[in-house]
Amino acid sequence: MRSDLVALQAFIEVARDNSFTKAAARLGLAQSSLSRTIRDLEESLGVRLFSRTTRSVSLTDAGERLLRTAAPRLAEIAAEMSALTEMQSKPAGLVRITCSEMAARLIWGKLSTVMHDYPDITVELFTDHSFTDIAAERFDAGVRLGESLEKDMIAVRIGPDERLIPVGAPSYFAQYPVPIVPQDLTAHRCINLRLETRGEIYAWEFEKDGRPLRIRVEGPWIFNSVEPTVQAALAGYGIAFVPEHEVLEHLQSVELIAVLDDWCQPFTGFHLYYPSRRQNSAAFEIVVNALRHRG
């Protein structure tokens, strides 16, 4: 296929001036090599493309027809290849990322100002709590916690270590005692989270002095995302187990109170992941660099 395209381009160059000499000079080829290329093309097509004499070269009817059809199409191909090359060097195009709502807020915080500098880049954030197959769903990348990453993916850390903490409103703790150990939570009204990936209620995970502990709790509400869980805790319905950074402002304003701090250990934060075998666009590289964690 490549040799056919080279031969067609050579044919078009000769036809431009009806001259093998000028075409050979433009292409940087020996005239004999160019003549052989055209001769091979004619033999493969089974028709003569040029009428040659010792003094002139002119197109045959078949040559005229091929020039009318091939030249515009080759020009379109060349223009498209040039555009693709420009896309690689100039940040432009669509970058699709699948992530959780919590990760989407992190990504927004990092990209919202950077995007003003790159008006030709479009970022699509698709919020999904399941483990999406990014290749099958035609995403450029996904976001997961570091501990959930697949080994055949390139992973770029985009956030700090995370920590889940139990929190409740002052109005709640005015009615119920503050838990001293995780086991005390079984006597409390707690706000549960159902994991979409497995469909089960999340068992709260704690650790102290290398001793892991999982506690199953009960209460008036079950949600499948963090935001309504925080709102239920703020409303005094019970204790919620949420990412610390999601409630920092509420902790500072004492709208929420954190408990069991010494049982809450950090774990690896969010990572952007994508296939190891891919040619990344300039737009994708800009997005990755902007999201990269530098803490």
Side-chain angles (χ1 to χ4, degrees):
M1 176 62 75
R2 181 174 175 81
S3 61
D4 289 342
L5 290 175
V6 171
L8 282 172
Q9 188 59 51
F11 161 73
I12 291 169
E13 289 297 326
V14 174
R16 278 177 57 181
D17 299 306
N18 284 323
S19 170
F20 279 82
T21 303
K22 292 180 180 180
R26 279 196 301 271
L27 294 171
L29 298 173
Q31 187 171 334
S32 58
S33 176
L34 179 59
S35 295
R36 185 165 55 252
T37 297
I38 298 300
R39 194 160 52 247
D40 289 343
L41 177 62
E42 289 176 324
E43 289 178 0
S44 68
L45 294 175
V47 294
R48 291 184 61 195
L49 301 174
F50 293 100
S51 294
R52 307 170 180 82
T53 68
T54 54
R55 294 188 177 184
S56 67
V57 175
S58 61
L59 286 167
T60 63
D61 290 343
E64 290 279 4
R65 178 178 175 179
L66 181 60
L67 182 64
R68 285 196 306 271
T69 55
R73 291 172 185 174
L74 280 181
E76 288 177 7
I77 292 172
E80 184 61 25
M81 293 178 68
S82 177
L84 290 173
T85 302
E86 184 178 351
M87 279 180 64
Q88 184 64 24
S89 59
K90 177 186 176 183
L94 175 65
V95 178
R96 302 185 72 226
I97 302 173
T98 175
C99 59
S100 66
E101 290 181 16
M102 191 163 59
R105 288 193 287 274
L106 172 66
I107 293 171
W108 165 256
K110 293 192 168 204
L111 291 184
S112 58
T113 54
V114 174
M115 291 288 287
H116 288 299
D117 299 328
Y118 300 97
D120 296 322
I121 295 178
T122 298
V123 175
E124 177 183 348
L125 294 184
F126 184 85
T127 56
D128 183 3
H129 296 278
S130 62
F131 287 166
T132 302
D133 184 335
I134 60 174
E137 299 298 328
R138 300 176 66 85
F139 286 102
D140 294 290
V143 176
R144 289 184 189 173
L145 294 171
E147 61 191 23
S148 304
L149 293 170
E150 298 175 7
K151 291 182 173 56
D152 61 343
M153 293 285 175
I154 292 177
V156 178
R157 189 184 182 103
I158 65 172
D161 283 350
E162 297 285 348
R163 197 168 75 125
L164 292 172
I165 60 172
V167 296
S171 61
Y172 176 81
F173 289 120
Q175 303 176 60
Y176 299 90
V178 173
I180 305 303
V181 294
Q183 291 89 334
D184 293 342
L185 292 168
T186 58
H188 279 266
R189 294 166 62 82
C190 296
I191 303 160
N192 268 306
L193 184 72
R194 187 180 295 280
L195 299 175
E196 288 193 22
T197 52
R198 294 194 293 269
E200 63 185 33
I201 301 295
Y202 172 63
W204 296 10
E205 298 176 270
F206 298 94
E207 183 180 333
K208 185 177 181 181
D209 300 328
R211 174 193 167 200
L213 185 65
R214 301 180 78 216
I215 300 293
R216 293 199 176 275
V217 297
E218 295 182 356
W221 290 98
I222 301 173
F223 298 103
N224 69 345
S225 63
V226 171
E227 179 59 28
T229 306
V230 173
Q231 294 303 316
L234 286 167
Y237 278 105
I239 298 175
F241 198 45
V242 295
E244 186 173 22
H245 77 269
E246 289 285 308
V247 292
L248 282 178
E249 292 184 5
H250 300 307
L251 294 173
Q252 291 167 359
S253 65
V254 200
E255 294 175 283
L256 290 173
I257 297 170
V259 297
L260 300 172
D261 182 78
D262 55 341
W263 281 90
C264 302
Q265 304 303 319
F267 53 89
T268 307
F270 285 119
H271 286 66
L272 186 83
Y273 68 96
Y274 54 94
S276 58
R277 294 183 294 275
R278 60 167 290 165
Q279 185 71 25
N280 297 324
S281 68
F284 183 79
E285 294 292 349
I286 290 292
V287 169
V288 171
N289 190 55
L291 292 177
R292 193 181 302 275
H293 178 61
R294 294 175 172 84

